[in-house]
Amino acid sequence: MPSSKCISEASTSDDDTSNNAATTTSAASPDDKRSKFFDIYGPQAKADIVFKIPEATSTLNLQDVQGLVTWVLSEGFMPSWVFIKNKPLIPKVVMLYVPGLDAALYLSQSKILPSLKEFFGNPRAVLALSCISDGMQTIDSLLTCKVKRKRDQSNSGLRKSNQATEQEKCGSGMNKQSLADLKKSLPFPITYYTLTEKEMEDNGYCINQPGFVSTLPSPSEASPAEMLALDCEMCITREGFELTRVTLVDIQGEVVLDKLVKPSNDIVDYNTRYSGITSEMLDGVTTSLKDIQEEFQKLVYKETILVGHSVENDLVALKISHKLVIDTAVLYKHPRGGSHKSALRVLTMRFLSREIQQSGNGHDSIEDARAALELALLKIRHGPDFGSQPSLIRKKLLTVLSESGRISSIIDDVSIVKRYGSESSHALPVFSDEEALSKAKKEVKNVKVHFVWTQFSELNSYFKKEANNPDKLNQKVAEITSLLTCKSGNRKSTKYAVSSDLKEVLIRMDARIRSLQAALPTNTMLVICTGHGDTATVYRLRKMLGEQRETAMDRANVVKVLEELQAQAEVALCFVGVKH
């Protein structure tokens, strides 16, 4: 029998009793409280969940799912969609993220996913973020909280900006703090601010582009710079814009590279009014693009974070691919939103209270690199909401739980562990679902751990692989086109074909969920959120339509399939159960 089931209404008396009991033991630690609650409720007491029947117009979102965790373990608000019976008896919450499993796929393949039905009963539909959004944004919605800004923080953004301005008026204009010192008290890790894969794609970054060289892993004996700011200047040749100057500065604003570069083709416009480059400056310069690429690769390694403003233009000029980028043009949102971007000189005046690019002799790449670096450091020091004044500010979920005396374990890809872990959490990077399962089973048995996060990503990886296979993609589009054409009058009876490979992935996923559930201590809450469906195919079809390329597929059919898949992928699921 499922440990939780849907009913029409439930009394709040059980929850009220729990809250009253919590009040009487507020001075005790979470574990001391729980032992007293067992005295109150008896040794056989059980926690449970009771769903409300959803209203016709109600839809859960990812924040609702996360809110359940903060309600159970911290000082969150009581969810409107579910009651928690005997809440103080819940020793820990385990949240499992399973991207790729949307409602349509689950309903059509529920027979090979029996553990979900057995343990959870019926899931609740969750409105996923738009398919246009990045997968990392879904994780961000689950692992960061919006908390009310305290009254004395209401103008903190302005005060911090003013403080920064005063610092800039003194000395060289750069805070000489080392990166190690900077990392000691950050609201979010530095990698939180680097562009995601989707953001790089949306902003024109070239990754693995023919004719480009890539930054390399640092040698084991080297100590590469962790962060450098980049700015380049370009002139116009008969082949378009070409590189004429490259500048790199370190975190303290010191110049580590500043060289002029001779373009490969004849210059038709030195672009002096913007680049600051003149014909006299390039007289006698012999450094080629290849020369500067080699020198750049000795300073900027794969692990180095590059900072700049619209860095995609600099990297295109350098013909270099690099994936770790903090782009201040993206970091500081334009007031009009969308694809609008603020100019570097505008941001520098607003947040650093100084003018740049005003000499009349063109831009200075050292000045621009330092300005971008300082703007990035302001965000890094003060948090992602710096520069705006929202009534709510973002905090990492694990930090919020830590402030309530809860210890967390985060088990995921190393980039996610670094991005969302807190100082007091157990950070456990993994490289496969089997490893994630093994470590999660160990962590759930640790009585000192109250929250465990992990992810099973095999299904999402399968969809990404299929979307990047032209033959598989064409086959999928043809199948869905046929179904939409032949079954348009009776869509409910239609089931999309599921390959044997996909069935095997789902069977393995079900086995892992069953194994994790079996390892849970009594009264542990398990929350499974799928986040979204097959967004990889949606991304691929969108890109195909945007590129306007000739394909064997009819464009009108591709549009219909895209609409169908996008609608399907945006209906995620939330399963909630308590181990009995």
Side-chain angles (χ1 to χ4, degrees):
M1 290 293 291
S3 61
S4 56
K5 52 188 177 180
C6 297
I7 64 171
S8 60
E9 285 295 336
S11 168
T12 60
S13 59
D14 286 324
D15 223 0
D16 290 341
T17 302
S18 300
N19 290 336
N20 291 337
T23 302
T24 63
T25 58
S26 58
S29 70
D31 295 323
D32 289 339
K33 289 181 183 179
R34 194 166 299 107
S35 64
K36 294 183 179 180
F37 291 134
F38 278 110
D39 292 338
I40 295 171
Y41 295 116
Q44 302 304 315
K46 295 179 180 179
D48 210 342
I49 62 169
V50 182
F51 288 112
K52 288 182 178 180
I53 290 183
E55 298 176 6
T57 57
S58 71
T59 306
L60 295 185
N61 57 39
L62 295 169
Q63 285 72 34
D64 292 325
V65 177
Q66 185 210 74
L68 176 61
V69 177
T70 54
W71 168 242
V72 173
L73 295 179
S74 184
E75 298 178 357
F77 298 100
M78 184 171 68
S80 61
W81 54 283
V82 64
F83 286 105
I84 312 299
K85 299 183 69 175
N86 300 341
K87 178 167 71 96
L89 298 183
I90 296 175
K92 68 185 69 198
V93 176
V94 177
M95 181 175 281
L96 172 62
Y97 179 50
V98 188
L101 184 63
D102 56 41
L105 179 60
Y106 171 69
L107 291 173
S108 67
Q109 302 301 315
S110 57
K111 288 185 179 179
I112 60 175
L113 295 166
S115 64
L116 293 173
K117 182 71 173 179
E118 291 171 13
F119 182 59
F120 300 100
N122 295 325
R124 283 292 303 269
V126 177
L127 182 62
L129 298 179
S130 168
C131 284
I132 302 173
S133 64
D134 193 300
M136 188 65 80
Q137 289 177 282
T138 299
I139 297 176
D140 200 69
S141 295
L142 294 169
L143 285 179
T144 64
C145 294
K146 289 184 177 180
V147 297
K148 197 167 185 179
R149 187 189 291 274
K150 294 179 181 178
R151 183 175 298 178
D152 62 355
Q153 293 178 326
S154 60
N155 293 315
S156 62
L158 182 60
R159 289 203 305 271
K160 289 170 182 175
S161 183
N162 289 338
Q163 290 168 3
T165 300
E166 291 303 315
Q167 292 172 0
E168 296 307 322
K169 292 178 181 176
C170 305
S172 66
M174 287 298 299
N175 188 326
K176 298 299 184 180
Q177 185 180 28
S178 70
L179 193 61
D181 290 336
L182 175 66
K183 288 180 176 180
K184 289 179 181 177
S185 57
L186 296 179
F188 284 79
I190 295 174
T191 51
Y192 181 86
Y193 305 92
T194 57
L195 296 176
T196 65
E197 185 178 340
K198 182 67 165 46
E199 286 173 328
M200 298 195 94
E201 181 181 328
D202 290 345
N203 288 279
Y205 282 81
C206 297
I207 303 298
N208 301 323
Q209 185 88 353
F212 280 50
V213 299
S214 298
T215 49
L216 306 171
S218 63
S220 56
E221 69 278 3
S223 298
E226 291 188 60
M227 180 186 293
L228 293 171
L230 168 68
D231 191 72
C232 296
E233 304 297 349
M234 283 76 82
C235 65
I236 302 172
T237 72
R238 54 186 172 80
E239 294 296 324
F241 283 97
E242 288 194 46
L243 185 70
T244 52
R245 184 181 180 184
V246 183
T247 300
L248 287 169
V249 302
D250 63 19
I251 190 174
Q252 296 181 340
E254 301 294 334
V255 176
V256 296
L257 174 68
D258 185 33
K259 282 199 172 182
L260 296 171
V261 181
K262 182 179 180 179
S264 303
N265 298 286
D266 293 336
I267 297 173
V268 298
D269 185 348
Y270 283 89
N271 202 28
T272 305
R273 60 196 178 280
Y274 296 113
S275 69
I277 302 297
T278 64
S279 60
E280 292 78 15
M281 291 174 66
L282 291 181
D283 280 347
V285 173
T286 59
T287 302
S288 67
L289 177 63
K290 184 179 179 182
D291 294 334
I292 207 68
Q293 285 175 334
E294 291 175 355
E295 193 164 351
F296 189 91
Q297 287 180 307
K298 293 176 182 176
L299 294 169
V300 179
Y301 291 97
K302 189 176 181 181
E303 302 84 359
T304 304
I305 296 174
L306 270 185
V307 177
H309 194 80
S310 294
V311 189
E312 74 277 9
N313 298 322
D314 302 313
L315 292 175
V316 166
L318 283 161
K319 293 190 182 301
I320 288 177
S321 295
H322 186 72
K323 294 184 177 180
L324 271 182
V325 174
I326 295 177
D327 188 338
T328 52
V330 178
L331 196 62
Y332 285 84
K333 304 301 181 186
H334 193 281
R336 293 172 63 185
S339 60
H340 297 282
K341 294 181 180 180
S342 297
L344 179 61
R345 59 180 171 76
V346 172
L347 295 175
T348 303
M349 175 54 74
R350 180 180 176 189
F351 296 107
L352 302 177
S353 297
R354 72 172 188 264
E355 291 185 340
I356 62 170
Q357 303 173 352
Q358 299 295 315
S359 69
N361 297 320
H363 296 186
D364 180 345
S365 54
I366 295 176
E367 179 183 58
D368 289 357
R370 284 173 173 164
L373 176 65
E374 293 168 58
L375 288 167
L377 291 176
L378 281 176
K379 280 275 190 182
I380 291 168
R381 289 191 185 104
H382 303 307
D385 295 303
F386 173 82
S388 60
Q389 294 189 31
S391 58
L392 299 174
I393 60 173
R394 277 178 289 173
K395 277 190 173 183
K396 286 184 282 189
L397 172 62
L398 273 59
T399 298
V400 172
L401 296 179
S402 176
E403 290 170 354
S404 296
R406 307 292 188 171
I407 297 175
S408 304
S409 294
I410 181 168
I411 306 163
D412 212 319
D413 178 82
V414 63
S415 62
I416 294 172
V417 167
K418 286 183 177 180
R419 191 179 180 100
Y420 297 104
S422 69
E423 289 185 4
S424 61
S425 63
H426 301 162
L428 303 168
V430 293
F431 301 95
S432 68
D433 285 4
E434 283 302 316
E435 191 178 2
L437 172 63
S438 175
K439 291 191 175 182
K441 288 168 67 175
K442 182 178 179 181
E443 289 302 297
V444 299
K445 294 176 182 177
N446 185 341
V447 295
K448 295 182 179 180
V449 172
H450 306 99
F451 177 72
V452 178
W453 161 280
T454 194
Q455 176 179 179
F456 291 164
S457 59
E458 185 184 10
L459 177 61
N460 201 41
S461 298
Y462 169 84
F463 284 136
K464 288 181 179 179
K465 183 179 178 182
E466 293 285 293
N468 289 323
N469 184 321
D471 293 336
K472 297 281 189 181
L473 184 65
N474 290 347
Q475 181 182 347
K476 186 166 190 173
V477 170
E479 287 175 353
I480 297 177
T481 300
S482 176
L483 289 167
L484 293 176
T485 302
C486 301
K487 300 289 185 178
S488 58
N490 187 24
R491 294 268 300 280
K492 288 186 177 180
S493 63
T494 301
K495 286 188 179 182
Y496 298 141
V498 175
S499 68
S500 58
D501 288 343
L502 178 53
K503 286 186 178 180
E504 288 298 320
V505 171
L506 294 173
I507 289 170
R508 287 194 292 272
M509 183 177 75
D510 184 77
R512 293 186 187 108
I513 292 172
R514 186 179 296 277
S515 180
L516 178 61
Q517 187 271 337
L520 300 178
T522 300
N523 285 325
T524 296
M525 176 180 286
L526 176 60
V527 180
I528 298 181
C529 185
T530 67
H532 55 76
D534 178 10
T535 54
T537 302
V538 173
Y539 293 155
R540 190 72 188 88
L541 293 179
R542 278 182 169 275
K543 188 174 183 180
M544 185 185 301
L545 291 172
E547 291 172 347
Q548 301 285 339
R549 292 188 308 180
E550 291 291 328
T551 69
M553 294 181 281
D554 180 76
R555 184 177 179 84
N557 287 339
V558 173
V559 171
K560 289 180 182 178
V561 170
L562 175 60
E563 291 174 349
E564 178 73 11
L565 288 178
Q566 181 165 315
Q568 179 177 314
E570 290 181 350
V571 183
L573 296 171
C574 175
F575 300 84
V576 186
V578 175
K579 174 70 176 291
H580 290 157

